[in-house]
Amino acid sequence: MEEFDFIRSIQPNFYRQSSVVKGIGDDAAIVRHTNEDIITTVDTMVEDVHFSSKTTKPYHIGYRALAANISDIAAMGGKPTSYVVSIVIPDSWTADELQEIYQGMNGLAKECNMDLIGGDTVSGEQLVLSITVLGTVLKGKARFRSDAQENDIIFVTGTLGDAACGLHILLNASHTDHEKYQYFINRHRMPMPRVSFINQSDAIKRMSLNDISDGIANEANEIAMASDKTLIIDYDKVPSHPQLFDFSSKQKFKWTLSGGEDFELIGTVSNRDWEQLQVIAKQTDTNISAIGIVRNDYKKNGTVWLQHNQELNRLEKSGYTHLRR
Ligand code: ADP
Ligand code: MG
């Protein structure tokens, strides 16, 4: 298929957002936002590095690549509005498979009310999909990792480790297990970023926030470092899906703390705002759990500690724990 035909085939025939002044079809796209700040983020996925076409259908490649970006916008406290796609296409990919990638992106974009407004198409050796997302946030309402304060409650949305378990099932398990653990496979293939929850939380004055793309061990450390505080997490309070208990405690430990790509959120709020945040969560059908507390301990600031089996151990970015009090 010619590049021109390809672009025509993925070009939307209407835009959901009134902010789109010019979408696909000129030298560049234009969006207009007068009252909000603009957030932008980019994420690149390379075939055989970030996904394998053996375990991932084209639809899910598109879906997940966009989900990762949307999750970053949500983690800044924003609302995703539009995206541009740069794609490197090897000869071996068929026109139908490429359509499916775009359908996967569009499926999620529709749910989030976003528009595809441009991109770039080139050929190459490996499929590379790079998506840039634009989003908006009200002035003063962006959420930073550096905003955690002493005595804040640490919370997470959803259940953790699901996507890592799903990938494990896809790579290792029998067909019957695929059926039994369909929930985890779906969480790997089609994670839903927490956009609506975050977009209803403007009333919360201060909240530190990070999205869980590499596992909470990593993301909690990022908050601890950026805020120069000590995060204490109680392992028994870290929420997991009931079926995760079917697996060994070692696997469960690894997946919940270091399993990436659940695209849930980890954050901290003041004790005073915790109740209100729970109400917002309920209104937006979001499970949130309190998993720990923020301390200001100058000897430990910048680190994360995990309470587990009556011990308090340092939790490294990698998810590794070791005794050091
Ligand atoms: P130019 O040569 O001016 O960069 P192109 O021929 O590359 O223009 O693209 C024409 C239009 O199609 C532009 O609006 C561009 O943003 C859009 N476009 C090109 N490739 C893609 C793609 N892979 N996905 C979405 N839009 C694309
Ligand atoms: Mg171009």
Side-chain angles (χ1 to χ4, degrees):
M1 182 160 55
E2 289 295 311
E3 185 189 326
F4 178 76
D5 295 326
F6 171 69
I7 294 170
R8 239 193 12 198
S9 76
I10 50 114
Q11 180 164 3
N13 39 32
F14 69 97
Y15 293 100
R16 301 176 179 115
Q17 296 273 347
S18 57
S19 57
V20 179
V21 177
K22 188 75 204 180
I24 292 178
D26 213 309
D27 298 310
I30 301 179
V31 291
R32 184 177 296 150
H33 294 284
T34 44
N35 292 314
E36 296 125 323
D37 291 339
I38 293 175
I39 312 172
T40 183
T41 181
V42 62
D43 224 52
T44 303
M45 304 228 304
V46 180
E47 185 174 11
D48 296 328
V49 177
H50 301 100
F51 64 89
S52 156
S53 24
K54 286 188 204 85
T55 50
T56 315
K57 292 192 195 117
Y59 185 95
H60 298 125
I61 294 170
Y63 183 105
R64 279 179 55 219
L66 187 59
N69 279 291
I70 293 174
S71 180
D72 281 322
I73 300 280
M76 293 306 287
K79 190 184 295 179
T81 53
S82 52
Y83 60 109
V84 294
V85 176
S86 175
I87 188 166
V88 180
I89 308 174
D91 284 343
S92 56
W93 283 70
T94 67
D96 281 348
E97 288 171 326
L98 296 173
Q99 290 292 336
E100 278 176 45
I101 293 178
Y102 275 78
Q103 279 159 14
M105 291 189 277
N106 191 40
L108 182 57
K110 199 170 161 186
E111 279 189 56
C112 297
N113 204 31
M114 298 166 68
D115 294 305
L116 173 64
I117 58 168
D120 196 28
T121 312
V122 293
S123 50
E125 296 292 302
Q126 259 174 321
L127 189 92
V128 179
L129 184 62
S130 181
I131 307 181
T132 301
V133 170
L134 296 179
T136 58
V137 63
L138 292 173
K139 283 175 196 161
K141 282 293 164 195
R143 309 296 190 180
F144 302 118
R145 296 172 183 179
S146 52
D147 279 340
Q149 288 183 11
E150 186 173 16
N151 296 328
D152 271 5
I153 287 178
I154 307 169
F155 68 88
V156 291
T157 60
T159 51
L160 303 186
D162 299 351
C165 177
L167 182 61
H168 169 84
I169 302 278
L170 281 171
L171 294 173
N172 302 300
S174 66
H175 195 73
T176 34
D177 270 0
H178 280 220
E179 273 169 27
K180 185 172 173 196
Y181 296 114
Q182 193 60 46
Y183 167 82
F184 295 124
I185 293 175
N186 286 344
R187 286 272 287 163
H188 167 73
R189 287 181 172 160
M190 297 179 70
M192 187 62 204
R194 295 295 185 179
V195 177
S196 55
F197 168 59
I198 283 309
N199 289 181
Q200 295 299 315
S201 70
D202 284 346
I204 307 289
K205 254 202 208 77
R206 177 188 56 80
M207 168 156 72
S208 73
L209 206 59
N210 201 351
D211 72 319
I212 305 177
S213 48
D214 295 312
I216 50 163
N218 182 68
E219 274 79 46
N221 269 285
E222 288 174 345
I223 291 175
M225 280 188 279
S227 302
D228 196 30
K229 293 288 176 292
T230 310
L231 269 61
I232 317 266
I233 292 174
D234 184 345
Y235 179 70
D236 292 333
K237 292 192 178 150
V238 178
S240 42
H241 188 268
Q243 277 189 304
L244 210 68
F245 291 86
D246 291 1
F247 300 85
S248 76
S249 55
K250 209 172 148 190
Q251 280 172 312
K252 180 177 166 285
F253 188 87
K254 190 174 125 208
W255 292 335
T256 48
L257 297 178
S258 341
E261 305 198 322
D262 286 317
F263 300 117
E264 296 293 349
L265 297 169
I266 176 171
T268 78
V269 278
S270 72
N271 237 307
R272 210 180 37 249
D273 287 341
W274 173 236
E275 207 164 302
Q276 194 180 2
L277 193 69
Q278 285 176 288
V279 172
I280 294 164
K282 203 160 206 168
Q283 285 165 349
T284 54
D285 246 334
T286 310
N287 285 318
I288 53 170
S289 316
I291 62 162
I293 191 151
V294 178
R295 297 287 185 214
N296 187 13
D297 174 345
Y298 75 98
K299 276 189 252 156
K300 291 183 184 155
N301 281 350
T303 63
V304 179
W305 294 73
L306 189 74
Q307 188 100 47
H308 182 41
N309 294 338
Q310 274 104 46
E311 282 178 6
L312 188 65
N313 293 323
R314 169 98 185 263
L315 180 65
E316 302 278 359
K317 265 184 159 225
S318 62
Y320 179 74
T321 53
H322 58 92
L323 284 164
R324 184 147 61 83
R325 267 159 233 254

mmCIF file of all heavy atoms in Angstrom, residues 166 169-170 175-189 243:
data_model
loop_
_atom_site.group_PDB
_atom_site.id
_atom_site.type_symbol
_atom_site.label_atom_id
_atom_site.label_comp_id
_atom_site.label_asym_id
_atom_site.label_seq_id
_atom_site.Cartn_x
_atom_site.Cartn_y
_atom_site.Cartn_z
ATOM 1 N N GLY A 166 -0.408 -11.635 33.827
ATOM 2 C CA GLY A 166 -0.996 -11.913 32.510
ATOM 3 C C GLY A 166 0.059 -12.274 31.478
ATOM 4 O O GLY A 166 -0.109 -13.221 30.704
ATOM 5 N N ILE A 169 1.333 -15.735 32.149
ATOM 6 C CA ILE A 169 0.385 -16.746 31.658
ATOM 7 C C ILE A 169 0.526 -16.902 30.140
ATOM 8 O O ILE A 169 0.613 -18.012 29.614
ATOM 9 C CB ILE A 169 -1.074 -16.333 31.985
ATOM 10 C CG1 ILE A 169 -1.270 -16.143 33.481
ATOM 11 C CG2 ILE A 169 -2.079 -17.317 31.397
ATOM 12 C CD1 ILE A 169 -1.499 -17.375 34.269
ATOM 13 N N LEU A 170 0.593 -15.782 29.445
ATOM 14 C CA LEU A 170 0.704 -15.832 27.985
ATOM 15 C C LEU A 170 1.967 -16.568 27.550
ATOM 16 O O LEU A 170 1.970 -17.306 26.568
ATOM 17 C CB LEU A 170 0.725 -14.416 27.401
ATOM 18 C CG LEU A 170 -0.620 -13.713 27.280
ATOM 19 C CD1 LEU A 170 -0.422 -12.248 26.906
ATOM 20 C CD2 LEU A 170 -1.502 -14.402 26.233
ATOM 21 N N HIS A 175 -3.429 -23.848 27.685
ATOM 22 C CA HIS A 175 -4.626 -23.223 27.155
ATOM 23 C C HIS A 175 -5.732 -23.098 28.212
ATOM 24 O O HIS A 175 -6.424 -22.084 28.280
ATOM 25 C CB HIS A 175 -5.126 -24.001 25.943
ATOM 26 C CG HIS A 175 -6.115 -23.226 25.151
ATOM 27 N ND1 HIS A 175 -5.757 -22.154 24.354
ATOM 28 C CD2 HIS A 175 -7.462 -23.336 25.076
ATOM 29 C CE1 HIS A 175 -6.850 -21.646 23.805
ATOM 30 N NE2 HIS A 175 -7.894 -22.345 24.223
ATOM 31 N N THR A 176 -5.863 -24.139 29.052
ATOM 32 C CA THR A 176 -6.912 -24.068 30.091
ATOM 33 C C THR A 176 -6.620 -22.941 31.075
ATOM 34 O O THR A 176 -7.541 -22.261 31.534
ATOM 35 C CB THR A 176 -7.039 -25.382 30.894
ATOM 36 O OG1 THR A 176 -5.745 -25.957 31.020
ATOM 37 C CG2 THR A 176 -7.996 -26.349 30.235
ATOM 38 N N ASP A 177 -5.332 -22.758 31.384
ATOM 39 C CA ASP A 177 -4.988 -21.663 32.279
ATOM 40 C C ASP A 177 -5.266 -20.308 31.631
ATOM 41 O O ASP A 177 -5.608 -19.349 32.311
ATOM 42 C CB ASP A 177 -3.513 -21.750 32.709
ATOM 43 C CG ASP A 177 -3.371 -22.582 33.973
ATOM 44 O OD1 ASP A 177 -4.404 -23.072 34.479
ATOM 45 O OD2 ASP A 177 -2.224 -22.746 34.449
ATOM 46 N N HIS A 178 -5.111 -20.251 30.322
ATOM 47 C CA HIS A 178 -5.423 -19.003 29.621
ATOM 48 C C HIS A 178 -6.868 -18.620 29.886
ATOM 49 O O HIS A 178 -7.186 -17.450 30.109
ATOM 50 C CB HIS A 178 -5.194 -19.154 28.114
ATOM 51 C CG HIS A 178 -3.757 -19.029 27.730
ATOM 52 N ND1 HIS A 178 -3.341 -18.368 26.605
ATOM 53 C CD2 HIS A 178 -2.642 -19.478 28.335
ATOM 54 C CE1 HIS A 178 -2.016 -18.421 26.533
ATOM 55 N NE2 HIS A 178 -1.574 -19.094 27.566
ATOM 56 N N GLU A 179 -7.740 -19.632 29.865
ATOM 57 C CA GLU A 179 -9.153 -19.343 30.114
ATOM 58 C C GLU A 179 -9.391 -18.978 31.574
ATOM 59 O O GLU A 179 -10.082 -18.024 31.889
ATOM 60 C CB GLU A 179 -10.016 -20.536 29.723
ATOM 61 C CG GLU A 179 -10.390 -20.470 28.250
ATOM 62 C CD GLU A 179 -11.019 -21.751 27.751
ATOM 63 O OE1 GLU A 179 -11.626 -22.473 28.559
ATOM 64 O OE2 GLU A 179 -10.889 -22.009 26.545
ATOM 65 N N LYS A 180 -8.765 -19.772 32.436
ATOM 66 C CA LYS A 180 -8.952 -19.560 33.871
ATOM 67 C C LYS A 180 -8.475 -18.173 34.311
ATOM 68 O O LYS A 180 -9.083 -17.546 35.165
ATOM 69 C CB LYS A 180 -8.173 -20.643 34.632
ATOM 70 C CG LYS A 180 -8.363 -20.616 36.130
ATOM 71 C CD LYS A 180 -7.721 -21.843 36.786
ATOM 72 C CE LYS A 180 -7.770 -21.731 38.289
ATOM 73 N NZ LYS A 180 -6.838 -22.683 38.928
ATOM 74 N N TYR A 181 -7.379 -17.730 33.710
ATOM 75 C CA TYR A 181 -6.795 -16.464 34.133
ATOM 76 C C TYR A 181 -6.957 -15.359 33.079
ATOM 77 O O TYR A 181 -6.107 -14.490 32.922
ATOM 78 C CB TYR A 181 -5.314 -16.664 34.478
ATOM 79 C CG TYR A 181 -5.124 -17.594 35.658
ATOM 80 C CD1 TYR A 181 -4.500 -18.834 35.497
ATOM 81 C CD2 TYR A 181 -5.589 -17.240 36.923
ATOM 82 C CE1 TYR A 181 -4.343 -19.694 36.578
ATOM 83 C CE2 TYR A 181 -5.439 -18.087 38.004
ATOM 84 C CZ TYR A 181 -4.810 -19.314 37.833
ATOM 85 O OH TYR A 181 -4.658 -20.153 38.900
ATOM 86 N N GLN A 182 -8.075 -15.423 32.364
ATOM 87 C CA GLN A 182 -8.370 -14.433 31.330
ATOM 88 C C GLN A 182 -8.287 -12.995 31.871
ATOM 89 O O GLN A 182 -7.846 -12.079 31.177
ATOM 90 C CB GLN A 182 -9.774 -14.697 30.758
ATOM 91 C CG GLN A 182 -10.086 -13.947 29.469
ATOM 92 C CD GLN A 182 -9.131 -14.303 28.344
ATOM 93 O OE1 GLN A 182 -8.853 -15.467 28.121
ATOM 94 N NE2 GLN A 182 -8.616 -13.300 27.654
ATOM 95 N N TYR A 183 -8.695 -12.836 33.130
ATOM 96 C CA TYR A 183 -8.665 -11.505 33.747
ATOM 97 C C TYR A 183 -7.262 -10.893 33.649
ATOM 98 O O TYR A 183 -7.096 -9.740 33.248
ATOM 99 C CB TYR A 183 -9.105 -11.575 35.218
ATOM 100 C CG TYR A 183 -8.803 -10.305 35.981
ATOM 101 C CD1 TYR A 183 -9.656 -9.199 35.906
ATOM 102 C CD2 TYR A 183 -7.642 -10.184 36.753
ATOM 103 C CE1 TYR A 183 -9.361 -8.019 36.577
ATOM 104 C CE2 TYR A 183 -7.339 -9.012 37.419
ATOM 105 C CZ TYR A 183 -8.203 -7.936 37.330
ATOM 106 O OH TYR A 183 -7.881 -6.766 37.987
ATOM 107 N N PHE A 184 -6.247 -11.696 34.005
ATOM 108 C CA PHE A 184 -4.875 -11.169 33.997
ATOM 109 C C PHE A 184 -4.396 -10.875 32.573
ATOM 110 O O PHE A 184 -3.701 -9.903 32.324
ATOM 111 C CB PHE A 184 -3.917 -12.157 34.678
ATOM 112 C CG PHE A 184 -4.188 -12.342 36.146
ATOM 113 C CD1 PHE A 184 -4.435 -13.597 36.669
ATOM 114 C CD2 PHE A 184 -4.195 -11.252 37.008
ATOM 115 C CE1 PHE A 184 -4.685 -13.765 38.030
ATOM 116 C CE2 PHE A 184 -4.444 -11.398 38.369
ATOM 117 C CZ PHE A 184 -4.693 -12.670 38.877
ATOM 118 N N ILE A 185 -4.777 -11.755 31.651
ATOM 119 C CA ILE A 185 -4.391 -11.539 30.257
ATOM 120 C C ILE A 185 -4.995 -10.233 29.740
ATOM 121 O O ILE A 185 -4.317 -9.429 29.093
ATOM 122 C CB ILE A 185 -4.816 -12.749 29.385
ATOM 123 C CG1 ILE A 185 -3.992 -13.979 29.797
ATOM 124 C CG2 ILE A 185 -4.651 -12.440 27.905
ATOM 125 C CD1 ILE A 185 -4.379 -15.262 29.106
ATOM 126 N N ASN A 186 -6.259 -10.003 30.092
ATOM 127 C CA ASN A 186 -6.900 -8.747 29.679
ATOM 128 C C ASN A 186 -6.224 -7.531 30.283
ATOM 129 O O ASN A 186 -6.101 -6.486 29.639
ATOM 130 C CB ASN A 186 -8.381 -8.732 30.063
ATOM 131 C CG ASN A 186 -9.198 -9.632 29.163
ATOM 132 O OD1 ASN A 186 -8.744 -10.029 28.091
ATOM 133 N ND2 ASN A 186 -10.389 -9.980 29.616
ATOM 134 N N ARG A 187 -5.795 -7.691 31.533
ATOM 135 C CA ARG A 187 -5.131 -6.555 32.189
ATOM 136 C C ARG A 187 -3.776 -6.266 31.540
ATOM 137 O O ARG A 187 -3.309 -5.133 31.539
ATOM 138 C CB ARG A 187 -4.945 -6.848 33.686
ATOM 139 C CG ARG A 187 -6.247 -6.745 34.445
ATOM 140 C CD ARG A 187 -6.495 -5.340 34.910
ATOM 141 N NE ARG A 187 -5.628 -5.004 36.010
ATOM 142 C CZ ARG A 187 -5.386 -3.763 36.412
ATOM 143 N NH1 ARG A 187 -5.932 -2.752 35.784
ATOM 144 N NH2 ARG A 187 -4.582 -3.542 37.432
ATOM 145 N N HIS A 188 -3.151 -7.315 30.998
ATOM 146 C CA HIS A 188 -1.905 -7.100 30.260
ATOM 147 C C HIS A 188 -2.188 -6.454 28.894
ATOM 148 O O HIS A 188 -1.504 -5.526 28.487
ATOM 149 C CB HIS A 188 -1.178 -8.431 30.078
ATOM 150 C CG HIS A 188 -0.065 -8.373 29.071
ATOM 151 N ND1 HIS A 188 1.122 -7.729 29.328
ATOM 152 C CD2 HIS A 188 0.019 -8.848 27.806
ATOM 153 C CE1 HIS A 188 1.901 -7.816 28.251
ATOM 154 N NE2 HIS A 188 1.260 -8.485 27.322
ATOM 155 N N ARG A 189 -3.210 -6.945 28.235
ATOM 156 C CA ARG A 189 -3.478 -6.484 26.872
ATOM 157 C C ARG A 189 -4.156 -5.132 26.789
ATOM 158 O O ARG A 189 -3.868 -4.340 25.907
ATOM 159 C CB ARG A 189 -4.374 -7.501 26.152
ATOM 160 C CG ARG A 189 -3.639 -8.752 25.776
ATOM 161 C CD ARG A 189 -4.574 -9.685 25.066
ATOM 162 N NE ARG A 189 -3.845 -10.819 24.527
ATOM 163 C CZ ARG A 189 -4.414 -11.962 24.205
ATOM 164 N NH1 ARG A 189 -5.721 -12.123 24.363
ATOM 165 N NH2 ARG A 189 -3.684 -12.942 23.719
ATOM 166 N N GLN A 243 -7.236 -13.936 42.610
ATOM 167 C CA GLN A 243 -6.622 -15.067 41.885
ATOM 168 C C GLN A 243 -5.096 -15.035 41.920
ATOM 169 O O GLN A 243 -4.448 -16.025 41.595
ATOM 170 C CB GLN A 243 -7.089 -15.085 40.429
ATOM 171 C CG GLN A 243 -8.436 -15.768 40.230
ATOM 172 C CD GLN A 243 -8.728 -15.941 38.753
ATOM 173 O OE1 GLN A 243 -8.731 -14.958 38.013
ATOM 174 N NE2 GLN A 243 -8.965 -17.166 38.305
#
